[in-house]
Amino acid sequence: MTDFIQFRSITKTFGGVTALRGVSLSIGRGECHGLMGENGAGKSTLGKVLAGIHKPSEGDVVIDGTPHIFSSPREALSAGVAMVHQELAFCPDLSVAENLCMGHYPRRFGLLIDREAMADRARTLLNAIGVNLDVWQPMRDLSTAQEQLVQIAAAVGTNPRIIVFDEPTSSLAEPDVHNLFRLIDDLRQRGITTIYVSHRMPELFRLCDKISVLRDGQYVGTLGKDEMTHDAVVRLMIGRSVEEYFPHHLAGSPGDTVLRVRNLTSPGLFRDISFDIRAGEIIGFAGLVGAGRSEVAKALFGLDPRVTGTVEVNGQPLQLQSIQASMRAGIGLVPEDRKRQGAVLGMPCRANISMAVLDRVNRAGFLNDAKEKQIAANFFDQLHVKASSLEAPVNSLSGGNQQKIVLAKWLARGGRLLIVDEPTRGVDVGAKAAIHALIDGLAWKGIAVMLISSELPEVINLSTRVIVMRDGHIAGELARAQATQEAILRLMAGVEMAS
Amino acid sequence: MQEFGLTLVVLALGIIMSVYGYYDAAAGRPNTFLNFDNLIDGIATPMSYYAIMAVGLTIVIITGGIDISAGSIMALSALGTAAALQLFPSTAPAWQVLPVAVVVALGIGLLCGTINGGLIVGLNLHPFIVTLGTMSIFRGLANVLPPEKTLPSAGKRLPAAFTTEFMRVEVWGIQPMPLIIMLLCVALGWVYLRMMVVGRETYAVGGNEEAARFSGLPVAWIKLRTYAIAGLAAGLAGLVSVGRFGTASTSTGTGYELTVIAAAVVGGASLLGGRGTALGALLGTLVIALIENGIIVMRFAQEYRLIIIGMAIIVAVSFDRLSVYLSARRGNQRA
Ligand SMILES: Nc1ncnc2c1ncn2[C@@H]1O[C@H](COP(=O)(O)OP(=O)(O)OP(=O)(O)O)[C@@H](O)[C@H]1O
Ligand SMILES: [Mg+2]
């Protein structure tokens, strides 16, 4: 077998932090090569070295026999490398079409932008991956999932020889994931080499010919198709095995009703939503992206001025008018979009974690530094955050570690009802188990949890009950015993698929 | 660190000018730059108004906002204080005069700042537009309201208890009061931003307003109070000015807003929000004050003043850009 791509002892340092340490790795032509490792292991960094975003401190990459040290994405692109990034980067005020054609706008008379041609091109790119979108809407209005799809379309559209997918499915829903898999199969048939970074093992097992594992910036090994097992991968990743977490809270009996929602309606988003959550329960919300789950969550958190219906928390009516009112009632929300709504990226981890508990570290107007540090350090520990220190700005952390910071902020606050929207997006297996344990621990302590997740195994494993939403209404509710993958999927897709 | 770099710049400027002053001085005469009179009267006192306002403005800029009405607020405050104090006989005792002066000056500043903040938050308008409007309105009020162009009116004098015995009081041959007030402001600003919860909230709103809102921070109130503080600082600057000169005029503080913005930006406040410190505001003002003083000491034609200040601003901002660019290169599109 020919080694199409060869990383030769790549080292990459950021200031004092060493992200990659002499990584050597070979990838065959036309292969789909998985890349795994804990959060902060260096997967994204390795991808970015290949895509020309980071120039390696040492080492080079041989592609098809030619050694390269790319110092810009443009160079990498001209060598046929494209990358779908984990942290999405677009111009939010430009339209989908403009974003997709950026850099090579179709011209008319050499000067004017040919809007029709641009729209056509954008549609072609999107159709190539099976997506239908209004190409003139501004990027800002897209959901995270749609943004992700546009990213993928943009990368595939450059006609590359090599594509790096960095956690492409972390914000996609089932059907889109299927489309993506078909696309990758198709790419492979066309001889295009793909590098696929993910924390979701079933995906990797399904797609990849080989899986390589990084640990602490070092290459630890590669598994062939026949050696790929959950255990083997985890062992390479963290040096020990991690059991699937079995929730504790199921042993306790649920307490009083904490949240009572009746006929919650918001025009155009969702309608007639009624459900209860009792103390100690974890209610999983499943549904396609756009089914209205996050919208319900935001409304409960006081973010939807047009919402109608009644909500009671611990028997007290709650006016859904402001975040402050909801928080006073004891509701917390871990938002789905960590970059926009979750973290203040330029601020240190410590300051981000304490953001929702500033009242508790407030001593006569002054910040109680010691207490703040202690809270932050505590969650750094529990969630295994990998960062150079508590003072590291959040944007210097890897994606999964950023997610942990956002989660820590709300775990620190506690309360009566915690709504978590995609709590483990982009988080590695070990940390995922830790987060599951923490959420479970909250429920065990009597906190009601509303869990929104696109990862069915997560919903199924953690939830006491599962509520499935479709097109803005509740399509059905399943007790834990009935909440199988098929049952949920059937409700998610509606009657069309039930037959 | 930003402050460290600025301190180096200040030192470098100081050394260059000291050396120049040493050779410039006639035999047996003191160094034309490095002497107490020049350092206090030529640099520290004139820069005090700027620095006081720069601290207030830095807090605004940290939230991602801007306030260009500071000079006009300063004029209103100075005129109001003069108008109130000229009602007293010029020999009125300090315990009568000082509280009135402080309350009037700070009251006017606070009121104007609150109006700015109220409009920005209440109408959800861009702070540049709002303060562009109020800059003009406040200046207009300063032209219209006082009976004369200069206060106190002809034949009257402000009480000595406020002027010669307070703001211009001499200790060991220098007049330290403006300097002391300035340092006090910087210290307060530092405590506010670094040690207090309100300061943390300020950085959070500037760093990512939506995330701050999603964390339950009262974003509207945080912004409102920021503009109120900037107004308060401008009011205090007016107080210092009227005390030092013994008069206020309709043109007091004209054009100061630009110097103040320059000082804040040179001091490391990022117009994108989320970054800036009180100490930076002081150092930024000091850099500008040193350059201005250098122009005088080195006897450059005054006409070059604007050009040199302008270049200093651009150099400072491009450093800012450069550092953002470099960290972006290191961190890729995480920022
Ligand atoms: N710009 C940067 N500045 C400082 N440190 C950085 C920067 N980018 C990455 N790092 C560090 O490099 C290490 C590897 O990061 P990388 O993003 O490659 O991890 P990853 O394997 O992709 O993790 P995840 O699964 O969370 O996405 C981390 O410790 C991270 O903190
Ligand atoms: Mg990554």
Side-chain angles (χ1 to χ4, degrees):
Chain A
M1 193 192 69
T2 52
D3 287 338
F4 185 52
I5 308 171
Q6 238 183 315
F7 292 95
R8 295 199 297 198
S9 35
I10 303 272
T11 295
K12 175 68 191 171
T13 54
F14 297 101
V17 183
T18 307
L20 294 174
R21 230 181 282 258
V23 172
S24 298
L25 174 63
S26 299
I27 295 170
R29 187 191 299 270
E31 205 171 277
C32 178
H33 200 99
L35 207 51
M36 292 203 71
E38 290 182 281
N39 294 130
K43 305 177 296 294
S44 299
T45 309
L46 191 66
K48 286 176 186 169
V49 165
L50 181 61
I53 288 150
H54 292 324
K55 195 171 168 186
S57 316
E58 281 165 41
D60 61 3
V61 187
V62 180
I63 299 177
D64 210 6
T66 323
H68 291 281
I69 300 178
F70 299 127
S71 49
S72 76
R74 193 170 272 274
E75 283 174 33
L77 209 56
S78 63
V81 184
M83 178 162 177
V84 177
H85 290 284
Q86 178 180 21
E87 309 297 327
L88 310 162
F90 275 118
C91 304
D93 289 312
L94 294 184
S95 65
V96 172
E98 282 161 318
N99 270 294
L100 272 174
C101 299
M102 190 155 298
H104 30 254
Y105 290 126
R107 310 275 171 102
R108 199 182 277 169
F109 315 126
L111 257 184
L112 304 176
I113 289 183
D114 186 343
R115 284 174 60 89
E116 269 320 303
M118 184 157 81
D120 279 346
R121 186 171 152 70
R123 276 187 212 109
T124 318
L125 289 178
L126 288 170
N127 286 339
I129 63 163
V131 178
N132 249 317
L133 270 181
D134 170 11
V135 296
W136 288 121
Q137 63 181 322
M139 216 58 210
R140 184 183 293 291
D141 294 349
L142 264 51
S143 68
T144 326
Q146 289 170 325
E147 234 177 289
Q148 184 67 270
L149 292 169
V150 174
Q151 267 256 352
I152 294 170
V156 174
T158 61
N159 267 327
R161 293 191 288 169
I162 301 162
I163 308 187
V164 183
F165 290 95
D166 194 356
E167 303 195 29
T169 52
S170 64
S171 48
L172 293 185
E174 286 295 324
D176 292 331
V177 172
H178 276 291
N179 282 342
L180 177 67
F181 288 179
R182 276 220 308 274
L183 171 76
I184 292 178
D185 287 337
D186 181 46
L187 291 174
R188 181 168 23 201
Q189 245 141 51
R190 282 160 41 195
I192 295 171
T193 310
T194 47
I195 296 178
Y196 192 92
V197 181
S198 176
H199 291 291
R200 301 186 177 177
M201 276 182 238
E203 289 181 4
L204 287 150
F205 296 165
R206 144 96 172 70
L207 285 173
C208 301
D209 306 305
K210 284 185 179 171
I211 295 178
S212 290
V213 176
L214 296 179
R215 190 199 302 170
D216 278 335
Q218 279 167 311
Y219 169 78
V220 283
T222 301
L223 298 172
K225 194 99 200 164
D226 44 347
E227 304 160 293
M228 287 179 200
T229 61
H230 184 275
D231 216 45
V233 173
V234 171
R235 235 168 235 292
L236 276 184
M237 273 173 67
I238 37 188
R240 61 186 166 83
S241 41
V242 172
E243 269 98 69
E244 173 110 23
Y245 186 79
F246 183 79
H248 221 54
H249 69 268
L250 297 169
S253 54
D256 299 333
T257 302
V258 171
L259 180 73
R260 208 181 116 91
V261 178
R262 287 295 173 271
N263 303 322
L264 206 65
T265 298
S266 179
L269 295 177
F270 52 82
R271 59 189 184 278
D272 285 330
I273 305 293
S274 303
F275 64 92
D276 294 337
I277 305 184
R278 293 159 71 184
E281 272 191 318
I282 297 177
I283 306 299
F285 274 69
L288 301 180
V289 170
R293 295 170 300 160
S294 299
E295 284 68 24
V296 170
K298 283 186 187 154
L300 289 174
F301 199 50
L303 283 159
D304 185 346
R306 298 193 305 160
V307 73
T308 57
T310 57
V311 175
E312 282 174 17
V313 178
N314 273 18
Q316 302 291 315
L318 168 65
Q319 294 297 325
L320 297 177
Q321 53 192 9
S322 71
I323 295 178
Q324 278 80 17
S326 294
M327 276 175 71
R328 243 177 281 123
I331 301 180
L333 169 69
V334 178
E336 67 177 327
D337 188 337
R338 72 166 166 261
K339 249 183 28 173
R340 274 187 239 165
Q341 297 147 357
V344 181
L345 290 172
M347 264 191 350
C349 298
R350 169 168 64 104
N352 267 283
I353 293 177
S354 69
M355 225 171 21
V357 291
L358 280 177
D359 47 340
R360 281 180 224 160
V361 295
N362 186 336
R363 203 166 40 187
F366 286 83
L367 280 170
N368 185 343
D369 274 334
K371 186 153 180 214
E372 190 186 28
K373 272 213 183 81
Q374 181 210 324
I375 293 176
N378 179 14
F379 283 101
F380 254 54
D381 246 32
Q382 290 190 39
L383 296 173
H384 315 295
V385 176
K386 185 170 181 249
S388 53
S389 78
L390 291 176
E391 306 305 319
V394 172
N395 55 15
S396 74
L397 268 55
S398 76
N401 283 303
Q402 294 183 6
Q403 180 65 30
K404 295 180 202 168
I405 299 293
V406 177
L407 195 65
K409 174 168 76 183
W410 286 101
L411 292 178
R413 187 171 172 90
R416 292 200 185 95
L417 169 71
L418 187 64
I419 307 171
V420 287
D421 199 348
E422 307 291 354
T424 58
R425 168 174 293 167
V427 163
D428 67 47
V429 260
K432 190 179 278 184
I435 288 173
H436 287 172
L438 274 170
I439 293 178
D440 178 40
L442 292 179
W444 182 244
K445 275 191 293 185
I447 291 177
V449 180
M450 175 172 168
L451 166 72
I452 301 173
S453 173
S454 304
E455 254 185 274
L456 285 188
E458 179 165 278
V459 172
I460 292 168
N461 181 34
L462 270 182
S463 313
T464 355
R465 269 184 293 143
V466 177
I467 290 177
V468 182
M469 283 187 69
R470 183 178 67 234
D471 291 338
H473 69 274
I474 292 184
E477 186 177 319
L478 299 166
R480 185 178 170 86
Q482 307 153 354
T484 60
Q485 187 123 0
E486 297 79 66
I488 295 177
L489 280 174
R490 204 171 300 133
L491 281 172
M492 267 164 67
V495 269
E496 304 92 85
M497 221 176 99
S499 54
Chain B
M1 199 173 86
Q2 195 103 31
E3 281 99 349
F4 182 70
L6 276 171
T7 311
L8 289 185
V9 172
V10 167
L11 283 180
L13 284 172
I15 290 171
I16 293 171
M17 274 144 65
S18 302
V19 171
Y20 178 89
Y22 175 80
Y23 288 109
D24 184 46
R29 310 276 307 164
N31 188 321
T32 51
F33 169 77
L34 202 59
N35 67 73
F36 254 116
D37 275 345
N38 183 49
L39 291 183
I40 303 294
D41 288 346
I43 298 175
T45 308
M47 81 175 266
S48 61
Y49 335 109
Y50 293 130
I52 291 168
M53 290 194 281
V55 171
L57 182 69
T58 294
I59 299 180
V60 168
I61 292 182
I62 290 172
T63 64
I66 187 80
D67 177 2
I68 57 172
S69 67
S72 301
I73 297 179
M74 177 180 167
L76 270 184
S77 145
L79 285 165
T81 312
L85 290 189
Q86 71 173 348
L87 302 176
F88 290 88
S90 65
T91 53
W95 65 266
Q96 287 181 350
V97 177
L98 291 187
V100 171
V102 169
V103 168
V104 171
L106 297 191
I108 290 176
L110 190 63
L111 179 68
C112 293
T114 310
I115 291 174
N116 279 340
L119 288 172
I120 290 163
V121 172
L123 302 180
N124 197 15
L125 294 174
H126 194 282
F128 181 81
I129 310 284
V130 168
T131 55
L132 185 67
T134 55
M135 171 175 85
S136 177
I137 293 170
F138 294 153
R139 176 65 62 188
L141 289 175
N143 284 329
V144 176
L145 291 181
E148 281 134 295
K149 281 216 168 311
T150 315
L151 292 179
S153 320
K156 286 193 179 172
R157 282 179 50 204
L158 296 186
F162 175 59
T163 54
T164 47
E165 286 160 29
F166 179 71
M167 207 56 88
R168 265 203 315 259
V169 67
E170 279 206 20
V171 186
W172 299 323
I174 59 167
Q175 299 174 353
M177 202 43 104
L179 173 67
I180 292 173
I181 295 178
M182 167 178 84
L183 293 180
L184 218 60
C185 274
V186 173
L188 279 178
W190 194 85
V191 169
Y192 183 92
L193 286 173
R194 270 296 170 82
M195 300 174 61
M196 298 187 66
V197 175
V198 282
R200 173 63 60 73
E201 291 175 341
T202 310
Y203 285 105
V205 166
N208 183 347
E209 191 173 323
E210 199 168 352
R213 193 193 322 280
F214 269 72
S215 303
L217 300 191
V219 174
W221 159 236
I222 293 170
K223 286 185 167 178
L224 176 70
R225 111 188 141 206
T226 304
Y227 290 94
I229 289 171
L232 200 63
L236 183 60
L239 182 78
V240 174
S241 149
V242 71
R244 178 164 121 84
F245 292 116
T247 67
S249 87
T250 52
S251 63
T252 296
T254 305
Y256 277 30
E257 53 279 337
L258 294 183
T259 310
V260 172
I261 294 172
V265 170
V266 171
S270 161
L271 290 174
L272 300 176
R275 279 194 322 133
T277 63
L279 189 58
L282 176 70
L283 291 171
T285 319
L286 188 54
V287 167
I288 291 184
L290 280 175
I291 293 173
E292 295 218 359
N293 186 250
I295 293 169
I296 296 170
V297 171
M298 296 181 165
R299 291 192 286 275
F300 280 111
Q302 272 301 307
E303 286 72 31
Y304 287 100
R305 184 181 153 264
L306 290 178
I307 298 177
I308 296 173
I309 300 285
M311 293 196 308
I313 296 170
I314 293 175
V315 168
V317 176
S318 41
F319 269 126
D320 197 55
R321 264 302 175 81
L322 190 69
S323 73
V324 170
Y325 171 75
L326 287 180
S327 69
R329 262 200 78 93
R330 279 191 285 134
N332 177 29
Q333 61 260 76
R334 293 229 170 117

